[in-house]
Amino acid sequence: MSSLLGEACRGGRHLERLGLSPGSSGNISVRVGDKVHISPTGQSLGGLDEDGLSVMHLGPDGLEHVGGPRPSKEHGLHEALYLRDPEAVCVVHLHSTHAVAASCLPPWTEHSALPPLTPYLLMRVGNLPLIPYRPPGDAAQARLLRELDIECHGALLQNHGPVVAGRTVSEAVDRAIEIELAAQTVMLVRHVPGVRMLTDGETEHLTSTYQQPWRASL
Ligand SMILES: [Zn+2]
């Protein structure tokens, strides 16, 4: 149990060192049994320690604070992804710059906010729908994410940022990093004429080879 908490704290420090969680933005959580340990409200991801995480009980109706400091007010997003996937172990939510910028643009399609420009988003994440804007911590937005009828590991919150789950801590952290890199590519080339997107055949090949959800699941 403690090793998972330690992994989450190290994951938070890694994201902070990469500049992906400026200030006290972003939150990370891990599921251990029927408990979710999540970064407290106002806590920098670079300063997490195992004993300082908020402890929440996860029941069929959601998360309830049962120990430690007050949890991030955005815990509903974590709850949504844990309830969607019983095998999800870690959830990461960031306000990373390029992903936030891309979240202000019209979505590429219903199932993917970002166009398929490079392989790794398809190899590691697949579908990444855009969820309509609501203020941070809004319970209705979390419910929308929970009930979304698109197979996905996470989503891009409109005018806000990404939230993504993994079945290990490193999978969730790597997905959050990959979303930021893919969004950076989108922002760099979006006004360049003649940009080549991956073809349908190329995206299908990548997502089937790496077993990531893609639009066929709609
Ligand atoms: Zn947020």
Side-chain angles (χ1 to χ4, degrees), residues 45-168:
L45 291 194
L48 295 178
D49 72 81
E50 295 182 35
D51 298 329
L53 297 173
S54 308
V55 186
M56 306 191 81
H57 176 262
L58 180 64
D61 296 327
L63 288 170
E64 182 192 358
H65 184 209
V66 293
R70 199 152 58 90
S72 162
K73 67 177 176 300
E74 298 185 295
H75 64 263
L77 301 171
H78 297 245
E79 171 187 294
L81 293 185
Y82 287 125
L83 291 174
R84 282 181 72 94
D85 179 4
E87 292 184 52
V89 163
C90 179
V91 173
V92 173
H93 166 56
L94 297 177
H95 299 169
S96 52
T97 308
H98 296 91
V100 173
S103 78
C104 304
L105 300 176
W108 177 62
T109 61
E110 187 185 3
H111 67 90
S112 180
L114 305 178
L117 291 172
T118 56
Y120 279 88
L121 186 70
L122 299 156
M123 292 158 60
R124 289 196 167 144
V125 181
N127 287 334
L128 188 72
L130 187 74
I131 304 286
Y133 176 80
R134 298 290 297 167
D138 182 74
Q141 187 182 49
R143 199 160 50 246
L144 196 65
L145 177 61
R146 178 179 168 184
E147 294 171 355
L148 194 64
D149 192 21
I150 296 175
E151 190 186 356
C152 59
H153 302 303
L156 194 58
L157 310 173
Q158 193 170 42
N159 298 80
H160 186 163
V163 61
V164 69
R167 293 184 176 182
T168 63

